[in-house]
Each structure stands twice: as C-alpha cells, then as structure tokens.
Amino acid sequence: MDADIEGFFDNISHKITMIKVGKAISEEQNPILYSYIRRFISVDRVKWEDYKKNYKKFHNVKPKRTVRQKGIPQGGVLSGLIANLFLHDFDKWVINDLGKELDLKYIRYADDFVVLMRNSDSIEVVKQLIKERLDGIELTLHSNPKKTKIIDLAMKGSYVNFVGFSISPKGIRIKHSNIVRFKNKLSEMVNKTSLSEGQKK
C-alpha cells in the first residue's frame, strides 16, 4: 500500500503535539525549549495569496495574518522534528503491533508511507486499521486513489513511487521523471556555460 496523510502539516493538532512534547522533554526542566516549541507551532500564518498580491510593497503594508488553530509551518527549522515526534507512536504501533501480527514492512517519510505485505488478503484490513488510528490523532488517510492506493507488485509492470525512487520486483530505481528532469537541468547549465564562454571570446 502506497499511502499519504491528507494535509498533514496543516492539520497537526497543537494540543496533541504539546502532550507528546511534554513526554519527550519536561516543561519544568526545559521551560525555554518547551515555550519555544509552543510558540513555533502557534505562529500566525500569512496566506501566500496575500503575500503575492503585496510582495513589492510588503514591508509597507501590514499583511493579513491568520491565527493558526492547528498545523505547523512547512519548511520551518523544527517542522520535520515535530512531525516525526507527532507520528512516533503511530510508527511504533504499525511496526510493533501490526508488523508482528500481520507480517508487514513499513517505511515513512513525512506524510508519505509504504506498507509492504506478502499476503495481500489482509491489506484492506490494514488500511482500515491505519485509517482508524490516524483518526484518533485527528489526521486523515488520503481518500484520493492517486494518493492512497493498493498495488500488487506481483503484477507485471507494477511499481511504487516513494521519495523519488521507483520500487518494483526488479529492484529499486530512481524515478524516470527525476532522471529526465536532471538531464534537462544539466543540459540547461551546460548551454548557459557555453553561451557565457562564447560571449567572453
């Protein structure tokens, strides 16, 4: 199963986050760090549309800010750490409980994860159990069939795309689209260099 958590960073519960942070670090022993994390996840949000509309005069115009009721900033210095802390118990549950009971392998990167099973008969059960577990921490398994799908790797031509790699019975390879993108970028850089050197002459 190739799966995705819908709107993961935008829907992380602040209350649950701080409970998990409190288990990892003591507020009494680390009040500054605890307070910093709480402030980080609660920082106001400026919508991209508002920024784009006023980007030339952004410093002269007070941007419209939205109070962040849930979710954490994407790309922030602590975002990846907080996201992993938030899903740590979920990861342990999949690996230790489901993994031992149903003989599965699990790997996750941010909001994308893959569940591999030899016995496909139980995959729908696993999908439902994962959905219910995510519901319990106020997250949603993506319902879009392009985002969450069950793939039979025994079928000819089947594969799973995960963090830039294509996984199939033949092995693990870099996605073809990434190779094409790299070649195009390299060609563009070479052409720019050649043009620059030609102008110097």
Side-chain angles (χ1 to χ4, degrees), residues 40-192:
F40 175 82
I41 66 174
S42 303
V43 66
D44 289 350
R45 174 185 299 167
V46 177
K47 291 185 178 180
W48 169 245
E49 292 78 11
D50 294 332
Y51 172 78
K52 189 168 59 172
K53 191 186 302 180
N54 299 303
Y55 76 98
K56 288 185 178 179
K57 49 183 179 179
F58 191 76
H59 295 291
N60 299 320
V61 177
K62 190 173 182 179
K64 182 179 179 181
R65 294 181 177 273
T66 305
V67 177
R68 193 185 295 271
Q69 302 292 345
K70 61 180 179 178
I72 61 176
Q74 290 195 44
V77 291
L78 291 178
S79 297
L81 176 64
I82 293 172
N84 283 329
L85 179 64
F86 191 88
L87 287 176
H88 180 65
D89 290 334
F90 171 78
D91 293 339
K92 284 184 9 180
W93 172 75
V94 176
I95 294 168
N96 296 331
D97 295 354
L98 289 185
K100 291 178 180 177
E101 182 181 346
L102 297 168
D103 187 26
L104 60 80
K105 300 297 181 184
Y106 165 81
I107 184 169
R108 178 182 63 80
Y109 181 80
D111 56 346
D112 295 318
F113 62 90
V114 172
V115 176
L116 299 172
M117 300 182 67
R118 295 183 185 277
N119 182 5
S120 60
D121 295 340
S122 303
I123 192 64
E124 288 290 352
V125 174
V126 169
K127 181 180 177 182
Q128 182 60 30
L129 289 172
I130 286 176
K131 180 182 181 302
E132 292 172 1
R133 194 76 176 192
L134 289 173
D135 288 344
I137 52 174
E138 300 178 21
L139 293 175
T140 305
L141 186 66
H142 216 302
S143 58
N144 187 329
K146 291 183 178 180
K147 294 287 187 177
T148 298
K149 49 185 178 273
I150 295 173
I151 302 168
D152 186 354
L153 291 178
M155 293 181 63
K156 185 177 180 180
S158 62
Y159 59 90
V160 173
N161 285 326
F162 185 67
V163 291
F165 291 89
S166 181
I167 305 169
S168 73
K170 294 181 179 180
I172 301 175
R173 300 178 179 178
I174 299 174
K175 282 174 59 177
H176 177 69
S177 59
N178 287 351
I179 295 175
V180 172
R181 193 180 301 116
F182 173 76
K183 286 182 177 179
N184 290 339
K185 188 68 176 178
L186 187 62
S187 177
E188 182 182 328
M189 291 171 64
V190 170
N191 290 337
K192 283 184 178 180

